[in-house]
Amino acid sequence: MYTGFKHLHSFLPYLLMAALVITIIIFAIKMSKGSAYTAADKRLSLITLILAHLQFVFGLVLYFISPVSKAALTAETTMSDATNRLYAVEHPLTMLVAIVLITIGYSKAKRKEMSSAKFKTVAIFFAIALILALVRIPWNVWPA
Ligand code: HEM
């Protein structure tokens, strides 16, 4: 079970990062061109949102079954050791904030009337989330 979730949690970031980058670039271009926000745009941001939520669920499961997080949480050096702190606190919390921002961006955009405001809201929230995720990915083990 652990291996399965680890593989899912390790593979999905490729799709999530790609979806975030694609959504941000397309929405920034469409905003600058004054394009209309179509059903396809809504679908793209929804797919990104779903990928983010899936990643969160896999990460949450891993947090309780992974020997890496168990070791980080039970070590006497949880906060003083950089690797333990990353897995026990920094990675999960930062990613949680990133996923909350993606969710807020998607929901706020739905309530906006103008297309340009929808594009702008999603692009900004998704971009901040992407930066946060990039900052706290365990780069020493990923990509493998
Ligand atoms: C946008 C959200 C997230 C991204 C992009 C992400 C990305 C990653 C990556 C790339 C790894 C390294 C995987 C590998 O070793 O190949 C990892 C490991 C891990 N993540 Fe996340 N993560 C996210 C959210 C979360 C959340 C919300 C939690 C916990 C609540 C979490 C818990 C963990 C744990 C425990 C590991 C270590 C797994 C192990 O090696 O046993 N992640 N994450």
Side-chain angles (χ1 to χ4, degrees), residues 44-63:
L44 179 59
S45 55
L46 179 62
I47 289 169
T48 310
L49 174 80
I50 292 169
L51 290 174
H53 283 192
L54 278 176
Q55 182 68 6
F56 174 76
V57 172
F58 297 149
L60 196 61
V61 174
L62 266 185
Y63 195 68

Side-chain angles (χ1 to χ4, degrees), residues 2 6 9-10 13 16-17 52 55-56 59-60 62-63 66-69 87 91-92 95-96 98-99 133 137-138 141-142 144:
Y2 164 64
K6 188 174 156 64
H9 194 74
S10 184
L16 177 57
M17 300 293 161
Q55 182 68 6
F56 174 76
L60 196 61
L62 266 185
Y63 195 68
S66 163
V68 176
S69 52
Y87 285 112
H91 176 75
M95 297 307 184
L96 175 63
I99 291 158
I137 274 180
V141 294
W142 190 87

